[in-house]
């Protein structure tokens, strides 16, 4: 082999090695940047969720608040996109606990509210032909209903331990996702 062939071969090998090294470095750097971005987004999401979940520990009656369900629904797609499978499962269990109690409450209200009772409703038609409803439920009927609602809430609210158990399971999984469970 001539000297110029050896120099050419050495140069080609050096260039190929440099290109392969650059591609591998670029791939690893990209993967690490994506992981870093996901971790930052997770941390932001988890801190925001933590604040909302803590409200339930301080006021268990929030479980009957439709706005609280709305807040959880706001987190649902974000959790599915950014969280690990175990965190999603823990979130799902937490959400289902709250949704079950809220649905039971809403069902109780729909069935027992005198303003929804067809016996108390009268449908009329005004001079323009537009239908309207008049509720003949008395203030006492409504007061009894509101009393029953408060009783239902007190008797059916989940215990603080049940809520804490679901939240703790969720926090544990979120901490694992963030890597802050290292001892």
């Amino acid at each position: 082999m001539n000297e110029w062939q050896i120099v050419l071969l050495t140069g080609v090998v050096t260039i190929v090695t440099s290109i392969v090294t650059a591609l591998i470095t670029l791939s690893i750097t990209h993967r690490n940047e994506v992981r870093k971005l996901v971790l930052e987004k997770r941390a932001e999401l988890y801190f925001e969720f933590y604040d909302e979940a803590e409200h339930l520990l301080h006021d268990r009656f929030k479980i009957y608040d439709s706005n609280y369900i709305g807040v959880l629904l706001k987190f649902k797609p974000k959790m599915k996109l950014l969280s690990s499978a175990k965190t999603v499962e823990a979130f799902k269990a937490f959400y289902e606990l709250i949704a079950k109690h809220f649905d039971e409450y809403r069902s109780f209200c729909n069935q027992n509210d005198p303003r929804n009772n067809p016996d108390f409703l009268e449908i009329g038609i005004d001079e323009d032909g537009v239908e309207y409803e008049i509720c003949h439920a008395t203030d006492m009927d409504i007061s009894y209903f509101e009393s029953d609602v408060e009783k239902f809430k007190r008797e059916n609210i989940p215990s603080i331990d049940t809520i804490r158990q679901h939240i703790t399971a969720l926090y544990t999984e979120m901490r694992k996702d963030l890597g802050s469970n290292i001892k």
Side-chain angles (χ1 to χ4, degrees), residues 45-63:
L45 172 65
Y46 290 173
F47 287 132
E48 188 180 343
F49 178 77
Y50 182 85
D51 289 339
E52 293 299 331
E54 283 293 306
H55 291 298
L56 192 59
L57 287 174
H58 299 295
D59 180 10
R60 291 181 297 150
F61 288 97
K62 275 194 166 292
I63 206 165

Side-chain angles (χ1 to χ4, degrees), residues 34-78:
V34 169
R35 283 185 185 150
K36 181 179 174 183
L37 179 65
V38 168
L39 194 60
E40 287 172 4
K41 293 294 183 182
R42 271 185 184 170
E44 184 181 308
L45 172 65
Y46 290 173
F47 287 132
E48 188 180 343
F49 178 77
Y50 182 85
D51 289 339
E52 293 299 331
E54 283 293 306
H55 291 298
L56 192 59
L57 287 174
H58 299 295
D59 180 10
R60 291 181 297 150
F61 288 97
K62 275 194 166 292
I63 206 165
Y64 299 118
D65 184 359
S66 62
N67 292 331
Y68 192 73
I69 295 289
V71 167
L72 292 182
L73 285 174
K74 180 183 87 171
F75 283 104
K76 194 174 181 178
K78 294 176 185 178

Side-chain angles (χ1 to χ4, degrees), residues 103-114 116-118 145:
D103 288 343
E104 289 171 357
Y105 165 72
R106 192 174 54 193
S107 177
F108 175 83
C109 289
N110 287 337
Q111 291 173 0
N112 296 298
D113 190 345
N116 294 339
N117 187 337
F145 165 70

